[in-house]
Amino acid sequence: MSKKIRVRFAPSPTGGLHLGGVRTVLFNYLFAKKMGGDFILRIEDTDQTRFVEGAEQYIMDTLTWCGLTPDESPFTGGPYAPYRQSERKAIYRQYAERLIESGYAYYAFDTPAELEQMRNDFKTAENPSPQYNHRIREKMKNSLTLSASEVESLLTTGTPHVIRIKMPEHETITFTDMIRGEVSFQTAQVDDKVLLKADGMPTYHLAVVVDDYLMKISHAFRGEEWLPSAPVHILLWKYLGWENDMPEWAHLPLILKPDGHGKLSKRDGDRLGFPVFAMDWTDPKTGEKTIGFKERGFLPEAFVNLLALLGWNDGTDQEIFSMAELIEKFSIERVHKAGAKFDYEKAKWFNAEWIKQSSIFSLQSSIEKVLSDAGIQVDDKEKLAKVIALTKDRCTLLTDFVQQAGFFFKRSETIDLAAIQPKWDTAKKAFFTALITAYENVNHWEATELEKICKELATTHQLKPGELMLPLRIMLVGGKFGPGVFDIAAILGKEETVNRIQKVIALLQ
Ligand code: GLU
């Protein structure tokens, strides 16, 4: 029987979720859904010093917003619960001890001061930060250098200790990465990582292997930054006797800064003025707030779509994909090895395309929310639907609806009189006064009729319609923006249109 497909996203809850993290979720999710498998969210919170209040809920909220709902998680539970490593603490020690018994790991009793001393003693110009490795472990205080009775007595007296993996000196670890092909590491380059800490908590290295095994993970897809840890993990799978159950690996390419130099960081976003986190994140310690794609005005469909294309394509020129299409077309082998440059202009293009092709109905509630956040209340849903139909092709971000659509519901607080004033004269005043009367008498209040009346009246007044459009727009809208001026008037209705024209004429006296 072939193995059930089970993948996991295993974040450490340390802050806002970087778009690279969401892309890791997405590729896991797409793969699982395509193969009829399960997608698991596991919280890797073994490093208590890095615990950040609210980060776990934030991760779950982000996944929900993106429509990437896990089948099993700390929130929903599941057959392999608990899904929070801090709640699984009791599970790990036995595996670390099993490794000691089989000679693949050892107790280390070095104090922080002794470790510091070691770093000083072995520091050279070529090796400024020496690591605890096969060369150095011989000189340290551990169960490889101490006698069995010394070790026994240190353990029984409760001397603080860690458990370290005993990396082989000269082995080549080779594995097949689904994206990179064959990857090899020399064990001599890798230090003796701590597996179990003095507080009894496992480190990430031990916990990730034990949990991937116990949770029957079939494929481990994670960011490229974890590639250097792969040899440690592969050895642990082997040393624990689980080699036949080891998941297939894929290390996803980095998301690069717009200029292609280095990994995109939150700081790049701050510097260049675009979001890097999925949703707004407020650091609970400093109170510092970081803007997210959601609050910047991205649709989740667009966010997911643009992330999918950061490092993957389906082999054609197609760029717009729905989630269903992504699930159908995704394959991990088509993910590129090379890093993907992040281009914010392109990200916005995806959003504009998604706004264009989304139905009015599906946009309604998010636009209502954006307007209400800007202090604009929508009193009439039918009117909102008409406004969205008229303005959605002009908006790149949902927040653009504040300018493009807000004035339909609330008169602009500022009116760009300076744009009208220089060419305002008695002839124009007479025209607009007559326009008010003409509009008051209109029976069929709709755009083409309003345009016809305006143009005919312009001819009567011997004015060019071209000179009248800008003042009329500013009267209705407040500034030089928005859709067709008669379409605007049609939606505003007779009373409101007339009132707005009247008000501006009065201001121009
Ligand atoms: N806890 C790791 C992280 O924070 C998980 C890496 C992995 O998927 O193995 O990303």
Side-chain angles (χ1 to χ4, degrees):
M1 206 182 84
S2 67
K3 210 165 161 186
K4 165 101 174 149
I5 301 293
R6 289 176 55 81
V7 298
R8 85 300 192 273
F9 176 54
S12 297
T14 52
L17 198 50
H18 185 284
L19 63 101
V22 188
R23 194 198 52 179
T24 300
V25 179
L26 177 64
F27 287 1
N28 272 289
Y29 179 89
L30 295 176
F31 181 80
K33 294 302 135 185
K34 186 186 173 103
M35 312 293 281
D38 299 327
F39 166 56
I40 292 116
L41 171 66
R42 183 175 70 224
I43 299 292
E44 302 212 324
D45 57 351
T46 54
D47 189 349
Q48 303 282 290
T49 58
R50 294 178 70 213
F51 176 81
V52 178
E53 186 74 46
E56 189 184 299
Q57 184 63 47
Y58 172 95
I59 291 167
M60 193 60 203
D61 292 346
T62 299
L63 267 50
T64 307
W65 176 61
C66 294
L68 302 168
T69 324
D71 299 296
E72 298 163 30
S73 74
F75 298 87
T76 48
Y80 300 90
Y83 292 92
R84 215 175 262 119
Q85 287 183 332
S86 58
E87 293 169 15
R88 301 170 63 81
K89 186 178 170 186
I91 297 176
Y92 306 106
R93 177 170 274 274
Q94 55 181 303
Y95 296 107
E97 277 167 0
R98 193 202 283 184
L99 290 168
I100 292 186
E101 278 155 32
S102 44
Y104 294 121
Y106 57 92
Y107 294 111
F109 300 94
D110 316 274
T111 62
E114 284 163 344
L115 291 171
E116 188 55 43
Q117 187 67 45
M118 174 275 277
R119 281 184 215 112
N120 276 327
D121 292 352
F122 294 97
K123 189 161 71 183
T124 59
E126 304 85 68
N127 188 11
S129 45
Q131 293 183 313
Y132 206 117
N133 61 13
H134 68 278
R135 256 173 275 132
I136 287 183
R137 67 184 172 226
E138 306 296 330
K139 305 178 176 81
M140 303 299 288
K141 207 164 108 196
N142 54 49
S143 55
L144 303 173
T145 57
L146 302 169
S147 70
S149 60
E150 277 172 308
V151 172
E152 192 56 39
S153 105
L154 286 170
L155 289 177
T156 44
T157 52
T159 312
H161 62 274
V162 299
I163 295 179
R164 287 181 183 270
I165 186 170
K166 187 179 169 198
M167 284 303 279
E169 286 174 39
H170 299 295
E171 255 182 49
T172 306
I173 310 282
T174 302
F175 71 98
T176 307
D177 183 287
M178 290 174 80
I179 298 171
R180 279 147 222 278
E182 206 170 272
V183 183
S184 293
F185 288 92
Q186 300 305 322
T187 54
Q189 314 288 324
V190 187
D191 60 322
D192 288 359
K193 299 271 184 238
V194 172
L195 301 178
L196 202 78
K197 293 181 278 188
D199 63 1
M201 272 287 191
T203 58
Y204 155 68
H205 300 295
L206 179 63
V208 78
V209 170
V210 168
D211 285 345
D212 282 350
Y213 171 73
L214 295 177
M215 295 183 180
K216 297 199 165 32
I217 299 303
S218 64
H219 295 76
F221 302 154
R222 56 187 184 186
E224 184 184 296
E225 62 274 28
W226 301 102
L227 195 54
S229 302
V232 179
H233 301 168
I234 287 165
L235 281 178
L236 286 174
W237 279 93
K238 190 168 142 197
Y239 293 166
L240 286 161
W242 300 333
E243 216 176 352
N244 294 337
D245 295 308
M246 187 165 80
E248 307 243 6
W249 303 96
H251 290 86
L252 309 174
L254 293 178
I255 297 182
L256 304 175
K257 295 179 202 294
D259 64 9
H261 295 303
K263 186 179 165 187
L264 179 73
S265 72
K266 185 181 93 59
R267 251 173 291 121
D268 297 315
D270 296 344
R271 182 171 55 89
L272 299 164
F274 57 72
V276 167
F277 286 170
M279 304 196 313
D280 274 6
W281 166 253
T282 306
D283 186 312
K285 289 201 190 84
T286 61
E288 189 203 348
K289 189 171 158 186
T290 309
I291 180 99
F293 278 86
K294 177 174 183 238
E295 292 76 7
R296 185 50 75 86
F298 278 78
L299 286 170
E301 294 87 346
F303 186 51
V304 161
N305 190 160
L306 73 92
L307 288 181
L309 276 276
L310 281 173
W312 173 86
N313 66 57
D314 75 340
T316 72
D317 289 339
Q318 185 176 343
E319 291 187 290
I320 300 295
F321 293 90
S322 67
M323 186 74 92
E325 279 176 293
L326 287 173
I327 292 172
E328 189 197 318
K329 308 229 164 114
F330 184 74
S331 78
I332 198 83
E333 288 82 4
R334 285 206 60 85
V335 175
H336 317 306
K337 264 197 284 253
K341 263 191 242 172
F342 179 70
D343 175 350
Y344 186 54
E345 291 311 310
K346 184 77 193 200
K348 287 199 292 188
W349 175 84
F350 277 105
N351 206 53
E353 289 301 308
W354 268 98
I355 292 179
K356 264 187 222 147
Q357 63 168 256
S358 294
S359 71
I360 294 167
F361 176 75
S362 71
L363 291 170
Q364 231 157 348
S365 66
S366 20
I367 294 174
E368 211 177 318
K369 164 95 175 51
V370 160
L371 293 176
S372 135
D373 289 348
I376 301 163
Q377 300 316 321
V378 172
D379 43 9
D380 179 343
K381 303 259 184 222
E382 244 173 77
K383 181 173 162 187
L384 178 63
K386 283 190 208 155
V387 169
I388 296 175
L390 190 60
T391 53
K392 76 195 198 50
D393 287 3
R394 321 173 72 85
C395 294
T396 299
L397 298 171
L398 288 175
T399 40
D400 293 343
F401 281 95
V402 173
Q403 190 191 52
Q404 295 293 334
F407 61 83
F408 284 99
F409 301 94
K410 188 180 171 191
R411 286 192 197 175
S412 168
E413 276 155 22
T414 55
I415 294 181
D416 188 3
L417 292 177
I420 311 181
Q421 220 125 29
K423 292 195 177 156
W424 187 251
D425 54 20
T426 47
K428 290 227 176 75
K429 186 177 169 192
F431 166 82
F432 281 103
T433 314
L435 186 67
I436 290 174
T437 315
Y439 276 1
E440 274 170 341
N441 293 314
V442 169
N443 288 328
H444 298 291
W445 189 264
E446 47 91 27
T448 44
E449 181 69 8
L450 299 176
E451 181 171 6
K452 195 168 138 244
I453 292 170
C454 181
K455 292 204 167 138
E456 281 170 5
L457 198 64
T459 315
T460 322
H461 282 246
Q462 294 181 325
L463 289 168
K464 287 196 212 90
E467 302 170 48
L468 304 166
M469 289 308 110
L470 181 72
L472 182 55
R473 169 176 297 283
I474 292 173
M475 288 169 181
L476 300 184
V477 172
K480 297 178 200 163
F481 51 83
V485 73
F486 299 104
D487 293 321
I488 295 172
I491 295 180
L492 284 176
K494 187 187 282 189
E495 201 185 323
E496 185 63 17
T497 301
V498 165
N499 279 344
R500 289 190 186 191
I501 299 173
Q502 253 160 359
K503 189 180 158 212
V504 177
I505 296 178
L507 288 171
L508 286 162
Q509 298 300 333

